[in-house]
Amino acid sequence: MSSRIEQIIEEIEEYVDSCKFQPLSSTKIVVNKEELEELLRELRMKTPDEIKRYQKIISNKDAILSDAQAKADAIIQEAKEQTQKMVDESEVMREAIAQSNDLLERTNQQAQEILDNATNDANNIRMGALQYTDEMLANLEKIMSHTIETAGAKYNNFINSIQSCYDIVNKNRGELSPQAAPTNYSTAVTETEDDSAYQEDLD
C-alpha cells in the first residue's frame, strides 16, 4: 500500500502534466497557484508523519532482525553445546574403552603370570619328587645289595660247614661199608651242585 506522500507526489505530477504551456513556449506552463500550494502544504504536513512511520517500520525491522539474530545465535549456541556434549561423550566412551582394554590386558598378564608360576612350581615339585624317589630307590638298592651279599656269605659258610660234615660222614661210612659209600657220595655231590646253582641264582 502506497503512502499519502507518494499519492500527493503523484497528484502533483498529474497536475503539472495537465497544465497548459505558455504561449510560444514548450517548457513553461500556466498553473493554478492556490491548487498547487494546497498540494505542497499537504505534502509538508504529511512528511513528518511519514518519516515517523518509516522510522517505526525501520525500528520494527531492526527489532525483527535483532530477534531473528538472537534466535539464530541461540540455535547456533545450542548446536555448539550439543556438539560439544557429543564430543565429550565420545571422549568419555573412548576413555572407558581404553581403560577397559588396559584392565583386560593387565588381567591377562596377571593370569599368565599366575599360570607360569604354577607351572614352574609344579615342575619344581615334580623334579623334587623324582629326585627324592631316585634317592630312596638308590638307598633301597644299596640295602638290598648289602643284604644279598651278607646272605650269600652266610649261605656259603653254611654250605661249607655242611660239606665238611658230609665229608666226615662219608669218610666214616666208607671205612665201615666200602660198597655203599660211592652211591651216597654221588647223591651228596648232586645235592651240593644243586645248592651251588641256587647260590648262583641268588648272586
Side-chain angles (χ1 to χ4, degrees):
M1 181 177 180
S2 61
S3 66
R4 180 54 185 160
I5 291 178
E6 293 175 341
Q7 291 177 357
I8 293 173
I9 292 173
E10 290 178 357
E11 291 177 3
I12 292 174
E13 290 177 348
E14 291 176 356
Y15 175 75
V16 170
D17 290 338
S18 65
C19 292
K20 297 180 179 181
F21 291 100
Q22 290 182 358
L24 304 177
S25 176
S26 60
T27 58
K28 295 179 181 181
I29 60 175
V30 177
V31 299
N32 187 329
K33 181 179 179 182
E34 292 180 359
E35 188 175 353
L36 181 59
E37 286 179 350
E38 181 64 24
L39 291 173
L40 292 175
R41 188 182 305 110
E42 186 179 1
L43 180 61
R44 283 194 296 269
M45 291 176 61
K46 294 294 183 180
T47 298
D49 294 336
E50 290 296 320
I51 292 174
K52 291 180 181 179
R53 191 169 74 88
Y54 279 116
Q55 288 177 344
K56 185 177 180 180
I57 293 174
I58 293 172
S59 298
N60 291 337
K61 180 180 179 182
D62 292 340
I64 293 172
L65 291 176
S66 178
D67 183 65
Q69 185 65 45
K71 290 181 179 179
D73 292 341
I75 293 173
I76 293 173
Q77 182 63 30
E78 184 179 1
K80 289 181 179 179
E81 292 176 356
Q82 290 294 331
T83 303
Q84 185 63 40
K85 183 178 179 181
M86 293 176 63
V87 171
D88 294 340
E89 291 176 353
S90 299
E91 185 65 26
V92 170
M93 182 63 69
R94 283 195 295 270
E95 291 179 358
I97 293 174
Q99 292 177 0
S100 177
N101 291 335
D102 182 65
L103 177 61
L104 181 60
E105 184 178 356
R106 285 189 284 109
T107 301
N108 289 334
Q109 291 178 353
Q110 292 177 356
Q112 187 62 43
E113 290 177 359
I114 293 173
L115 181 60
D116 293 341
N117 292 334
T119 302
N120 292 332
D121 292 342
N123 290 334
N124 292 333
I125 293 173
R126 179 176 177 275
M127 293 301 297
L130 291 175
Q131 183 177 358
Y132 175 77
T133 302
D134 183 67
E135 292 177 355
M136 293 293 295
L137 291 176
N139 292 332
L140 181 61
E141 183 180 7
K142 291 179 181 179
I143 293 172
M144 293 180 67
S145 177
H146 178 70
T147 301
I148 291 173
E149 292 177 356
T150 302
K154 291 180 179 180
Y155 179 79
N156 289 332
N157 292 333
F158 175 72
I159 294 299
N160 291 333
S161 177
I162 292 177
Q163 185 67 43
S164 177
C165 292
Y166 173 79
D167 292 340
I168 294 173
V169 171
N170 187 56
K171 181 179 179 182
N172 291 334
R173 288 188 65 199
E175 292 177 352
L176 294 175
S177 180
Q179 295 178 352
T183 302
N184 293 334
Y185 177 75
S186 176
T187 301
V189 170
T190 301
E191 291 176 354
T192 303
E193 290 177 353
D194 292 339
D195 292 339
S196 298
Y198 175 72
Q199 178 63 29
E200 290 179 356
D201 291 339
L202 290 177
D203 293 341

